Amino acid sequence: MSDFVVHPSAICESTQVGRGTRISAFAHVLPGACIGADCTIGDHVLIENDVVIGDRATIRPGAQLLDGIRLGDDVVVGPNATFANGVPANGPKTLGELPPTLVADHASIGGGATLDRGITVGRNARIGAGAVVTTSVPANAIVHGNPAVIKGYVDAIRPQSPLSPTVTGEAMDLVGGARLVHLTRADDLRGSLAASELTRDLPFVPKRFFVVYRVPSAEARGEHAHRACHQFLICLAGSVVVLVDDGTERAQVVLDNPGIGLYMPPMVWSTQYAHSPDAILAVLASDPYDSNDYVREYDEFLSLRRGDATTDASATPPTGAAS
Amino acid sequence: MSDFVVHPSAICESTQVGRGTRISAFAHVLPGACIGADCTIGDHVLIENDVVIGDRATIRPGAQLLDGIRLGDDVVVGPNATFANGVPANGPKTLGELPPTLVADHASIGGGATLDRGITVGRNARIGAGAVVTTSVPANAIVHGNPAVIKGYVDAIRPQSPLSPTVTGEAMDLVGGARLVHLTRADDLRGSLAASELTRDLPFVPKRFFVVYRVPSAEARGEHAHRACHQFLICLAGSVVVLVDDGTERAQVVLDNPGIGLYMPPMVWSTQYAHSPDAILAVLASDPYDSNDYVREYDEFLSLRRGDATTDASATPPTGAAS
Amino acid sequence: MSDFVVHPSAICESTQVGRGTRISAFAHVLPGACIGADCTIGDHVLIENDVVIGDRATIRPGAQLLDGIRLGDDVVVGPNATFANGVPANGPKTLGELPPTLVADHASIGGGATLDRGITVGRNARIGAGAVVTTSVPANAIVHGNPAVIKGYVDAIRPQSPLSPTVTGEAMDLVGGARLVHLTRADDLRGSLAASELTRDLPFVPKRFFVVYRVPSAEARGEHAHRACHQFLICLAGSVVVLVDDGTERAQVVLDNPGIGLYMPPMVWSTQYAHSPDAILAVLASDPYDSNDYVREYDEFLSLRRGDATTDASATPPTGAAS
Amino acid sequence: MSDFVVHPSAICESTQVGRGTRISAFAHVLPGACIGADCTIGDHVLIENDVVIGDRATIRPGAQLLDGIRLGDDVVVGPNATFANGVPANGPKTLGELPPTLVADHASIGGGATLDRGITVGRNARIGAGAVVTTSVPANAIVHGNPAVIKGYVDAIRPQSPLSPTVTGEAMDLVGGARLVHLTRADDLRGSLAASELTRDLPFVPKRFFVVYRVPSAEARGEHAHRACHQFLICLAGSVVVLVDDGTERAQVVLDNPGIGLYMPPMVWSTQYAHSPDAILAVLASDPYDSNDYVREYDEFLSLRRGDATTDASATPPTGAAS
Amino acid sequence: MSDFVVHPSAICESTQVGRGTRISAFAHVLPGACIGADCTIGDHVLIENDVVIGDRATIRPGAQLLDGIRLGDDVVVGPNATFANGVPANGPKTLGELPPTLVADHASIGGGATLDRGITVGRNARIGAGAVVTTSVPANAIVHGNPAVIKGYVDAIRPQSPLSPTVTGEAMDLVGGARLVHLTRADDLRGSLAASELTRDLPFVPKRFFVVYRVPSAEARGEHAHRACHQFLICLAGSVVVLVDDGTERAQVVLDNPGIGLYMPPMVWSTQYAHSPDAILAVLASDPYDSNDYVREYDEFLSLRRGDATTDASATPPTGAAS
Amino acid sequence: MSDFVVHPSAICESTQVGRGTRISAFAHVLPGACIGADCTIGDHVLIENDVVIGDRATIRPGAQLLDGIRLGDDVVVGPNATFANGVPANGPKTLGELPPTLVADHASIGGGATLDRGITVGRNARIGAGAVVTTSVPANAIVHGNPAVIKGYVDAIRPQSPLSPTVTGEAMDLVGGARLVHLTRADDLRGSLAASELTRDLPFVPKRFFVVYRVPSAEARGEHAHRACHQFLICLAGSVVVLVDDGTERAQVVLDNPGIGLYMPPMVWSTQYAHSPDAILAVLASDPYDSNDYVREYDEFLSLRRGDATTDASATPPTGAAS
């Protein structure tokens, strides 16, 4: 076609290439590949047949996109980034049984990073340069290292230290109605006590109490919103970082002492990560466990926040005991 | 007088000695001393003027009872046991400002033990041989060491290990309506979760949540009953021993993992002790903090359990933030 | 030649390319390269002169095979995998002094992985995506991380937990005559005791006792078989994983308490890895140290197990104190 | 009687007092007491009826000997030392069920020490001043503290530090044929190795291997001799003190690294104590376990060393798994 | 004599008893004892021949003062306190070789306390009830426990926390010219730095640098003054308590971080105690080591501070390497 | 131009390429690139417009040099090495605000390594294969890992273990006048003491004392020379590696106990790295802090050592408290 540009040294065998896309020197696009509009395909890039790329994506030089990759709009793939596509040692017998690797809109993958086959990179996430990604990455998360772990979230508000001695007994609003609550404390030689008068501090009556502990530091937990359930989180030992996201803004708080609680209203997305080895997170909830109350897909969460009529909550299958 | 017996080598200068009491060789009772009936005063014992001893007490040889000591009925004082009566280094300037040392009915003090001036030993408590007692001892407690710490309680029921794998999700009755509740647990590679459905597991709606932690291992906490408040205790890290006492029977349980909760109804006396350095005890309570709800004196507690009409709860002064 | 296929954009200067091999777009094969039959050479691959590749190998796009590489049959090299070929900082002065990098038959190298120059990757080993391999990799080993460490072995049998309380005092056969032996234990308040009656538990009389400790967790030890010597291994502190391999089957056991011993007959290949920092491994051996008793090359071991007449044990040079 | 001396202020109601014994001021001996010859009974001492004291004992002022005490010859009881004689909290219901407290010949009890009812103090043992003794004390042991733990042995030889760099690969004779052996060591970047060529280092062929670990620091273990069995002890982690006693001399060595072994021939009494929390002691023995091989009573051991004809080894009842 | 009072039941065989002294019931004073004026000797006290007691001393009931004890003026000995006088296990063969036990003026010994033979209790020191004292106690020190360790000093000034953020770069005067100096600190992500400009912070040029570490927590070190040498102490790890005493006043400071130095001028007495297990104390000194510079006896120190002409410094014998 | 060589399949759009440079198959040089003489540009290499390369550089196959890179003379870039050039998550908004990535003369970058945008790699440094470099690298340093940390220095002399028992009390010369000094030590039951008689051990009178501690193990400190100041370093806890460099030779020593000091004369460059978590480094210096005394740029240091007339020390701006 005449509305995309191929360097004379490149080979483009596909006709499914969007308007305004440029394909650089020595790149090779196989016939089955499907590329959106206004993309930049760098030098020495290979795009195999079973590859779909959205609009405005940038594939920097040396990246190799083998079969089984789906990239959303505005994705950036760094130079020499690698999509591993062998069958894992403990995985299925053939590649055909593996799901494709998905990179959602606006995510970016650093130069020299490596992604295991079959993982999902969430919307707007950032994979650091040289990271080796072995598990899926939540929306907006920033990951680094080998193996890669979450180091933070893009554009998350980080409130002033919640331990400020000038804010005793006060609540601090975060986003989406979530707030930090300073508990009443009494410390003396006989020990320490931190207390919350529930009818004063919380807008709900607790019907469930649970504790999450012994979480490996590389794990993220939570990663869901509740449709109706309120929660109150207190980190009683160690520390954990909690991301609070109302679909528009994000805030990131470190819970690291029993004197602070985090109130989470319904329909706020949360993720807990960077658990210290001794972290113990106690949670009071307004409702007994109900798997239908969980929104587990971030895209569904965004739709619900926007008031999309098409979302059918009842379509979420039950998934057993969960946190 | 003719109704008590004094060894010819002993010197008894008091006339306030009860019927049937025997005073052994080389013992010396000063004129102001007041001794009950049927006591045994051993060889080489000195009883100074400002001393009061109940009925049926046994003072074994070599014990020296200096001014400022009050012993109840049926108390046993071991051989060479010592009631220190110097003014403490950081205490008041004169002995007169110090309260007397009180040993309640049925308590026993081991041979060679030493008690600091001004402490109280509770009803039926047992001080181990050679112990050095520097703080007051609760009723029924057994203490040992230098300084002495609580090692157990007299006649306490110790239920079979609450961790038995054959009792999952079940409750185990203790005494006075208190019971152990096995929480729902889920352990997997991503961490562990222990949960309680409050409306199922508890006969109350929680209105207060508090956490007790960093308790020095030599401290006992609790040591009270509630008039109306229910509580639910979960030890989230480390371990703590809890004594539950309904005034008639006692049970002693070790809380050492988040999978077990201890339900405490009103009017059950409890004491927590032997906290490990990392112990964290979370408590859900049925009522906001109210100092009038606390019964802080064990004797008052016993009277209330017996239904004594004369106890006036409103006489208990409020004492601020408490656990 | 007519029996292999070269993409029009590729440059193949070698004639030593096997039948059925396909060379993809923008690949470049230098004249001295030697490539077997039925290989797939991906886009943007460079194969320099001093490179030998066996049959049925797959070189995925972006991999660069520089001088000094030997790949066996059925090897897979992932996309953008890198064979570093600089002279190491503490190595010889020139590349010519370095041995080539060897990748044995059926081994696979993950996408984005990096291998130091001069290492050997054993038969059937698997290098994880993004791994940085700095030491040689044993046959069948699975390695990950930077630096890469052994995480397991391909197709190794993992027996049920050797700590099962239902198997006391019993032996559990592994492979090749090796077996786990549960030692006699006695635990009481005075401590614990684990005992092995050697004449009952072992088919040899020990003549040597040694202890291996302070092994960095990234190290593998052992990696040999004995021609005649029996051994009995007990991990007295910490933990270590032992691979036992009779040339046909493999089993992998975790030694993590003094109550379990691992008996190893002659002519069983073993490797110890994943030592905890405090691991202490005690070994009883049937013979004094004799360097000629060691089979240090896995290929020689396989030959000996198959009864190959051509192996000359006396050809193994002595190598001093070893474990 | 005319052959012992009673101070005019003292009261001696017993006639069973040996020749040459002196009873000091304000002392009181009840009619049933039995006291040997040449004893010194200090001021303010009480000796009740059910007390037996050997010859040449010294009871210093203020000590109170209540019913249920047996003291051997040449025993010294320090000033104000206390024999507690209450019924222990977890013990039998009445004193009559408790065994008497035994103090063997030549033992001494420090001033102000306290001994629990029913324990045994071995021949020549020394109880430190102020110690609170809650378990029996071996012969020759020196104990201190509250509760008292073994701190050493009377007259034990303490060889120069076995870690002296000038004594590598050498053996060091102790007593009774026991000796320390320095093992061959090799340390390199991969870890450390300590090896013993058993045929070179030991005069026996090991037939048993066992490990002792997790011994609380307050415990003593061993406390026996073997009739025929040789042993070789190596402390692989932490540290432990070993007493070696041939009936005439004693030596005391600290085992605290895997580079040193302790060879113990038959008919040498040994005790291990002061284990560090992480101590792990490995033992090679010349014979399978045989309960008849153990000499468990120190007095029998001394008889056997002296060649007494009357000792009947077969009279020792078997006692199950032991160390 | 007519100027002191002896209870009719007591036996006083000595004529060396001061005016106004009272001897209570059943007490026994042997002929060689020497007792000052205005003392109180309690019931059941024994005072043997080789005992010297100053004026205004109080010996409470049941204490036994055996041969080899020297008590100063105004000393208080608590009830049943014990002066052990056996020969220590590792000590000389006969009591005659042991120095007497010395208790200096104004010291007090708690009820039930035990003191080893031959120790010295400094002027105004306080031994806690039930303490077991195994080493000498410095002047003014308060000790508790078994074995007893220093817990503080009588009337010591405890300055406000030296870590106050409002006092950066400042010095804080203590007593006798000693002062705390806040070092210059710089903390950033690369680590922390604490610096002292010696020409600014110190009035001396250091000529010696030494480090004290691995001090058992029960030990006190220092316990001397320097005639001419200045010192500067910094605790680089762990913590230590330092007592500073100019002969008139005392101050007690906790050194627990490298940002604080303690300047000690000459002729200030200091003691370091309560070392944490990891405490490392670095010292800069103004002079090379000179044993003649040390004042090791507190009484000599007091004399020198008062300007007594009679003190002969050259009489202090050199004692080798010291701190 | 005619004096450099371009493979027929390569595309060279720049004319700023030096004599003797060779450009290999499928390489692509954009018009703005500037390349020195005698370089080797490997297969599949892309060199974008804003790139400057010195003489004799080697760019091995698959490396992608995007805009914003400056390479010095004799630089080696390994195969598939990646210069990440995205905007960091917490960085500026546009690439234009980022400084270029600088690689100084003679540095080498391992195969598969990844460098973050904007860092500097010092002269002669070596980036290990697969390293992920997130901070700048000092001259001569060798770095490895993800993230990369210093593991050593090129050609550094490593003296025999300074703990050798045969070199007590001796000094050991390193380079440039620096030397290790063994301190005088005294260890006894009360603890350990390490002392340096400064007038004997050091050629300077200390005027400054400072302590460096809590340095994260990934950090290097020091990295400067002093014009006139002498220093003496002692590591009192933990361990640290110190590089000493006189501009011609380098030596590397581990300081890990208080018994060893490192004397550093003026005009010797030093760097400290690989601090253990508990490392505490004490330093005595000959002069008060003076920022003008610091030489902070290694190139300036080399010039000063060579005696270059053009270096103007006074041009170094003061930079506050430093080490």
Side-chain angles (χ1 to χ4, degrees), chain A residues 4 73 82 90 145 165 177 184 207 255 265 273:
Chain A
F4 64 94
D73 295 337
T82 304
N90 302 316
T184 305
K207 294 220 180 71
L255 298 182
Y273 66 97

Side-chain angles (χ1 to χ4, degrees), chain B residues 9-11 13 25-28 30 43-46 48 62-64 66-67 80-90 93 95 112 114-116 132 134 146-147, chain E residues 7-10 24-26 42-44 60-64 76 78-81 108 110-113 126 128-132 142 144-147 153-155 158:
Chain B
S9 69
I11 303 167
E13 306 179 46
F26 307 121
H28 186 189
L30 296 190
D43 278 42
H44 307 111
V45 167
L46 168 67
E48 291 194 335
Q64 307 290 335
L66 309 192
D67 288 331
N80 282 341
T82 306
F83 290 80
N85 80 335
V87 176
N90 301 316
K93 291 295 179 197
L95 272 179
T114 302
L115 282 74
D116 271 3
V132 177
T134 58
N146 179 354
Chain E
H7 188 277
S9 70
S24 305
F26 306 121
D43 278 43
H44 308 111
R60 301 190 70 79
Q64 308 291 331
V76 177
N80 280 343
S108 68
R126 296 200 188 173
V132 176
I142 302 166
H144 288 280
N146 180 357
Y153 277 79
V154 176
D155 294 331
R158 301 184 189 211

Side-chain angles (χ1 to χ4, degrees), chain C residues 6-213:
Chain C
V6 180
H7 188 276
S9 72
I11 304 168
C12 181
E13 306 178 46
S14 168
T15 58
Q16 296 171 291
V17 178
R19 181 188 200 93
T21 287
R22 286 174 299 148
I23 298 175
S24 304
F26 306 122
H28 186 188
V29 180
L30 295 192
C34 181
I35 303 177
D38 295 319
C39 292
T40 302
I41 310 299
D43 277 42
H44 308 111
V45 167
L46 168 66
I47 300 179
E48 290 194 335
N49 288 295
D50 183 19
V51 173
V52 178
I53 300 176
D55 296 334
R56 294 173 303 280
T58 303
I59 314 299
R60 301 192 69 80
Q64 309 288 332
L65 304 192
L66 309 192
D67 289 331
I69 295 171
R70 304 288 177 271
L71 306 182
D73 295 338
D74 301 292
V75 163
V76 177
V77 176
N80 281 342
T82 305
F83 290 79
N85 81 337
V87 176
N90 300 317
K93 291 294 178 195
T94 68
L95 272 179
E97 302 175 41
L98 273 175
T101 301
L102 305 177
V103 182
D105 297 352
H106 291 282
S108 69
I109 296 170
T114 304
L115 284 73
D116 272 4
R117 172 68 191 263
I119 67 163
T120 297
V121 177
R123 184 184 178 79
N124 207 28
R126 295 203 188 171
I127 311 299
V132 176
V133 184
T134 59
T135 57
S136 291
V137 177
N140 299 298
I142 303 167
V143 304
H144 289 281
N146 179 356
V149 296
I150 298 174
K151 295 293 186 187
Y153 278 78
V154 176
D155 294 330
I157 298 161
R158 300 183 187 212
Q160 294 301 317
S161 165
L163 292 175
S164 160
T166 62
V167 190
T168 307
E170 296 291 315
M172 180 190 302
D173 286 330
L174 300 172
V175 301
R179 64 177 183 265
L180 284 176
V181 179
H182 290 254
L183 277 61
T184 305
R185 294 185 56 161
D187 298 311
D188 62 25
L189 288 178
R190 297 173 309 149
S192 299
L193 181 147
S196 170
E197 300 301 333
L198 299 184
T199 50
R200 180 195 71 194
D201 293 340
L202 296 185
F204 66 88
V205 175
K207 294 221 179 73
R208 186 174 195 235
F209 175 68
F210 61 91
V211 186
V212 178
Y213 56 106

Side-chain angles (χ1 to χ4, degrees), chain A residues 60-296:
Chain A
R60 301 193 67 82
Q64 308 290 332
L65 304 192
L66 309 193
D67 288 330
I69 297 172
R70 305 288 177 269
L71 307 182
D73 295 337
D74 301 293
V75 165
V76 177
V77 176
N80 282 342
T82 304
F83 291 80
N85 82 336
V87 176
N90 302 316
K93 290 294 177 195
T94 67
L95 272 178
E97 301 175 40
L98 275 173
T101 302
L102 304 176
V103 182
D105 297 351
H106 292 284
S108 69
I109 296 169
T114 303
L115 284 74
D116 272 3
R117 173 67 192 263
I119 67 165
T120 297
V121 177
R123 181 184 179 79
N124 207 27
R126 295 202 189 172
I127 311 298
V132 177
V133 184
T134 58
T135 58
S136 291
V137 177
N140 299 297
I142 302 168
V143 304
H144 288 281
N146 180 357
V149 296
I150 298 175
K151 296 293 185 185
Y153 277 77
V154 175
D155 294 331
I157 298 161
R158 301 183 190 213
Q160 294 301 317
S161 164
L163 292 174
S164 161
T166 61
V167 190
T168 309
E170 296 291 317
M172 179 189 305
D173 286 332
L174 299 171
V175 302
R179 63 177 185 267
L180 285 176
V181 178
H182 291 254
L183 277 61
T184 305
R185 292 184 56 162
D187 297 311
D188 61 27
L189 288 179
R190 298 174 310 142
S192 297
L193 181 148
S196 170
E197 300 301 338
L198 300 182
T199 49
R200 179 194 71 194
D201 293 340
L202 296 186
F204 67 89
V205 175
K207 294 220 180 71
R208 186 174 196 236
F209 175 69
F210 61 90
V211 186
V212 178
Y213 56 105
R214 287 193 212 139
V215 178
S217 62
E219 291 294 313
R221 285 194 70 126
E223 296 196 69
H224 57 247
H226 287 275
R227 295 177 202 276
C229 183
H230 305 243
Q231 292 192 332
F232 189 57
L233 290 69
I234 304 175
C235 185
L236 297 174
S239 66
V240 62
V241 185
V242 184
L243 177 84
V244 183
D245 180 341
D246 66 3
T248 306
E249 290 183 301
R250 280 173 291 285
Q252 178 176 326
V253 292
V254 180
L255 298 182
D256 59 2
N257 76 83
I260 297 175
L262 172 61
Y263 166 66
M264 296 282 293
M267 286 310 294
V268 170
W269 186 266
S270 90
T271 304
Q272 298 126 32
Y273 66 97
H275 299 76
S276 67
D278 58 343
I280 297 179
L281 189 67
V283 184
L284 290 163
S286 65
D287 297 298
Y289 175 68
D290 174 6
S291 70
N292 289 321
D293 187 58
Y294 285 70
V295 185
R296 295 188 178 285

Side-chain angles (χ1 to χ4, degrees), chain A residues 7-9 24-26 42-44 60-63 76 78-81 108 110-113 126 128-132 142 144-147 153-155 158, chain F residues 9-11 13 25-28 30 43-46 48 62-64 66-67 80-85 87-90 93 95 112 114-116 132 146-147:
Chain A
H7 188 277
S9 72
S24 304
F26 305 122
D43 278 44
H44 308 110
R60 301 193 67 82
V76 177
N80 282 342
S108 69
R126 295 202 189 172
V132 177
I142 302 168
H144 288 281
N146 180 357
Y153 277 77
V154 175
D155 294 331
R158 301 183 190 213
Chain F
S9 69
I11 305 168
E13 305 179 47
F26 306 121
H28 186 188
L30 296 191
D43 278 42
H44 308 112
V45 168
L46 168 66
E48 289 192 337
Q64 308 289 334
L66 310 192
D67 289 331
N80 280 342
T82 305
F83 290 81
N85 81 336
V87 176
N90 301 315
K93 292 294 179 198
L95 272 179
T114 303
L115 284 73
D116 271 3
V132 176
N146 179 358

